[in-house]
Amino acid sequence: MNTDNKALSTSDYMERIMQIKADLGNQLVILTHHYQRKEIVDTGDHRGDSFALSQRAARDENARYIVFCGVHFMAESAAILAKKNQTVQIPDMNAGCWMSDMADVVLVERAWNDVTQIVGDKTVTPLVYMNSDAAIKAHCGRHNGAVCTSSNAPKAFEWALGRREKIFFFPDEHLGRNTAYKMGIPESDLLVWDPEKPLGGHDPAAIQKAKIFLWKGYCLVHTRFTTDQIKTMRKNFPESLIVVHPECTSDVVAQADAVGSTSFIVKFTADAPSGSTVVIGTEINLIKRLALEYPDKNILPLHDSFCPNMYKINLKNLLQCLEQIGKKNVVTIDKEIRADASVALENMLTL
Ligand code: 13P
Ligand code: SF4
């Protein structure tokens, strides 16, 4: 039965979803990002951060159908890595990402040309955060660069600097800066590229001197965390452990006890001793789920920050996707873009 115009109860949705899963067996795999709401995670076969899920998508040879419960760039990356006989679907095509929208391919290519005309095209490696659309990944692949995620960014920086002296990192300024600091690269070697200004807002001498170019993009969910919130939490819960995502600004990261990808945050919370207070600076749905999973720990958000894009996936649109398996909201990618983007993604998977 088709559920296009009907609202069902949560248990009815779950029952139908589980029935379709049972019917399709290992032909179907449902991947869910850590930021998905609880009931979506409960329907999934694998949950993880964007790196783990892309590895999973590249590995799942049996599955004919991959349904990706996350945002569009994640489903797109799975589609780039998928085999010819696999389809990737996303329950809501409008589940985008603000940060990924901040790097438009025309602006990225213009910036790349500006920089390479000044420093030469044999001195810079492009690195692109997973949170970007396929055209940016393709640009990166065409110039022998790699994709990276928040869990392997230092490795990707090391790889890139082993090849060439400079990196152009798109589109998250903060992940780029936090990674550079972690590797001992000082602020004086960084240059923030503002795509709205000629030459990114710099003169040629500054561009010659810079080691790492950081695209001026950011995540609205993670830049809401502040050092004042950390101060308040430390005052109210002096024994607490504070862990944040590397999309937070570097002053927040500097005052936290730990920083890492969503999978790192999950493990950090799991490893915290029973009875401890863990304060988390990332998307609220993950924090709420962790609080349910670890009732023996006091798990608190640093601030209530919510990603409406991730929240667009719900039981209704997931069921509709499954009812039209292989047909509804199939993520497709232009052949040339796919070929170039897969170079950058494969470079990441072999790091
Ligand atoms: P992870 O790579 O840690 O899963 O993060 C993805 C993301 O979108 C964070 O905002
Ligand atoms: Fe994009 Fe930020 Fe949402 Fe992650 S949390 S998907 S970076 S908008």
Side-chain angles (χ1 to χ4, degrees):
M1 191 194 304
N2 198 294
T3 46
D4 261 0
N5 297 311
K6 291 187 194 68
L8 304 175
S9 67
T10 300
S11 57
D12 284 347
Y13 277 123
M14 288 301 255
E15 204 178 300
R16 289 194 191 188
I17 289 170
M18 292 308 171
Q19 187 56 55
I20 295 175
K21 282 188 68 170
D23 294 344
L24 288 171
N26 64 4
Q27 289 188 79
L28 166 70
V29 64
I30 300 180
L31 304 177
T32 66
H33 187 264
H34 284 308
Y35 292 163
Q36 291 294 299
R37 50 180 106 194
K38 182 179 180 312
E39 61 267 30
I40 293 291
V41 170
D42 290 344
T43 66
D45 297 297
H46 307 286
R47 71 168 150 160
D49 64 9
S50 53
F51 179 64
L53 294 178
S54 65
Q55 273 185 319
R56 200 65 246 180
R59 233 182 17 226
D60 249 311
E61 308 222 337
N62 289 330
R64 163 95 186 74
Y65 308 110
I66 297 172
V67 174
F68 208 117
C69 298
V71 287
H72 193 265
F73 72 78
M74 295 178 179
E76 215 179 38
S77 301
I80 292 166
L81 293 166
K83 312 279 170 303
K84 276 207 172 70
N85 64 336
Q86 294 179 313
T87 58
V88 175
Q89 290 165 266
I90 181 166
D92 187 338
M93 279 288 192
N94 295 315
C97 164
W98 294 318
M99 180 201 287
S100 131
D101 292 345
M102 288 177 195
D104 170 83
V105 71
V106 174
L107 297 180
V108 163
E109 276 170 1
R110 187 188 301 160
W112 179 259
N113 291 338
D114 285 346
V115 166
T116 53
Q117 266 169 26
I118 292 168
V119 304
D121 65 355
K122 299 277 180 287
T123 56
V124 203
T125 298
L127 279 185
V128 61
Y129 189 25
M130 182 70 98
N131 300 29
S132 57
D133 70 24
I136 311 292
K137 293 186 177 83
H139 164 88
C140 198
R142 277 196 294 280
H143 296 283
N144 303 313
V147 175
C148 73
T149 70
S150 54
S151 57
N152 61 16
K155 250 195 204 165
F157 267 49
E158 235 169 68
W159 173 85
L161 291 174
R163 292 156 64 101
R164 292 177 173 178
E165 64 197 72
K166 297 174 192 286
I167 292 175
F168 205 145
F169 186 73
F170 311 93
D172 187 10
E173 175 188 338
H174 304 295
L175 175 64
R177 175 172 291 106
N178 289 324
T179 307
Y181 283 4
K182 192 171 179 174
M183 298 179 67
I185 300 170
E187 183 65 35
S188 54
D189 282 350
L190 311 181
L191 179 146
V192 177
W193 189 274
D194 183 344
E196 289 180 6
K197 295 185 179 158
L199 287 187
H202 305 281
D203 59 36
I207 293 172
Q208 277 283 5
K209 185 177 159 284
K211 193 177 175 80
I212 316 281
F213 301 97
L214 301 173
W215 190 261
K216 196 175 160 55
Y218 57 94
C219 167
L220 279 95
V221 176
H222 287 92
T223 48
R224 280 191 198 123
F225 299 111
T226 64
T227 51
D228 279 347
Q229 293 158 1
I230 295 191
K231 232 180 264 163
T232 307
M233 282 302 189
R234 292 229 188 266
K235 190 165 151 250
N236 295 343
F237 304 95
E239 302 301 313
S240 65
L241 295 164
I242 301 185
V243 59
V244 300
H245 194 277
E247 288 173 13
C248 295
T249 56
S250 57
D251 53 346
V252 167
V253 167
Q255 292 194 18
D257 297 304
V259 55
S261 74
T262 51
S263 288
F264 176 90
I265 291 171
V266 169
K267 185 164 183 321
F268 183 90
T269 309
D271 292 347
S274 183
S276 57
T277 295
V278 184
V279 175
I280 306 178
T282 196
E283 208 275 340
I284 191 70
N285 279 289
L286 172 55
I287 304 170
K288 279 188 187 162
R289 249 193 8 262
L290 288 171
L292 287 174
E293 278 168 32
Y294 299 100
D296 60 321
K297 304 173 195 181
N298 184 24
I299 295 170
L300 302 169
L302 180 55
H303 175 72
D304 192 337
S305 195
F306 162 73
C307 178
N309 289 311
M310 286 281 180
Y311 207 67
K312 284 183 180 147
I313 311 300
N314 54 41
L315 287 176
K316 183 174 180 180
N317 55 31
L318 173 58
L319 176 59
Q320 286 170 350
C321 214
L322 295 174
E323 285 176 334
Q324 296 182 59
I325 199 71
K327 297 192 187 95
K328 189 179 169 81
N329 293 350
V330 174
V331 180
T332 54
I333 294 148
D334 169 89
K335 220 168 134 203
E336 263 176 49
I337 292 200
R338 182 183 172 148
D340 290 338
S342 63
V343 172
L345 273 163
E346 296 292 348
N347 277 343
M348 172 185 81
L349 293 174
T350 53
L351 272 180

